[in-house]
Amino acid sequence: MLNKAILMGRLTRDPELRHTQSNMAVCSFTLAIDRDRKGPNGERQTDFIDCVAWGRQAEFVTQWFNKGAMAIVVGRVQSRNWEDKNGGKRVSIEVNCDEVSFGETKKSRDANGGFNAGGYDGGSQMRPEPAASQIAPAFDLPSGGSDFQELADDDGDVPF
């Protein structure tokens, strides 16, 4: 049997880190994932998928991700039975994460202001890049301004 989920979306809230009685870290978060098609009235449709990471993966997610961050999750879909406060039986469907990766670069995330507070489209409100004169160089570059040289025979085509 095959049970593998690969998801890419934005966190709807900051990840929540807890520890089990045996001191195992467990992190829960929800991804907002836009559907490819719009609804019958032309509105964007979004699915909200609950995710759970364990151990070092949970600590990684808690440390490096926050609300609005784009994440790529690889894991498996699982159901979990539990009782609510009134004693009612409930079922939760969630993705148990095997891998969680960044879905965008830090530069891209910073340019977007971290996230788009009005939704989860993540890029419709780009801030302009700062002028080169406003950026302090991290190290001295050679006199040409770059440590890369242009190729004389570069025709601009991708070789594959």
Side-chain angles (χ1 to χ4, degrees):
M1 306 276 172
L2 178 64
N3 181 358
K4 187 165 191 160
I6 302 172
L7 307 171
M8 182 172 176
R10 295 197 178 274
L11 275 70
T12 61
R13 57 184 163 78
D14 288 342
E16 180 182 324
L17 181 67
R18 300 179 312 279
H19 289 84
T20 64
Q21 290 177 344
S22 63
N23 206 30
M24 169 72 83
V26 58
C27 171
S28 58
F29 58 96
T30 301
L31 287 182
I33 304 169
D34 288 339
R35 293 186 184 175
D36 291 338
R37 297 188 186 141
K38 293 187 178 180
N41 298 329
E43 74 278 359
R44 177 177 284 168
Q45 294 181 324
T46 304
D47 292 308
F48 298 91
I49 311 295
D50 293 327
C51 300
V52 178
W54 295 86
R56 290 178 52 101
Q57 193 74 254
E59 293 167 355
F60 170 78
V61 170
T62 304
Q63 180 178 359
W64 294 103
F65 289 85
N66 55 11
K67 178 180 177 180
M70 178 77 71
I72 301 170
V73 169
V74 178
R76 58 195 177 282
V77 179
Q78 292 184 328
S79 62
R80 180 172 51 90
N81 298 318
W82 55 283
E83 276 188 29
D84 62 16
K85 294 178 182 176
N86 301 327
K89 295 187 186 248
R90 308 282 298 214
V91 176
S92 293
I93 306 295
E94 55 199 12
V95 173
N96 194 328
C97 303
D98 294 325
E99 302 172 35
V100 180
S101 305
F102 297 107
E104 60 191 343
T105 64
K106 183 175 182 342
K107 181 178 178 181
S108 172
R109 185 175 57 241
D110 290 345
N112 290 331
F115 66 99
N116 180 0
Y120 295 96
D121 63 355
S124 62
Q125 298 178 353
M126 295 286 288
R127 282 193 278 166
E129 289 288 322
S133 62
Q134 295 174 328
I135 301 173
F139 51 87
D140 292 330
L141 295 176
S143 60
S146 173
D147 53 353
F148 295 100
Q149 292 180 330
E150 289 292 323
L151 297 176
D153 64 344
D154 185 16
D155 60 1
D157 285 343
V158 178
F160 48 90

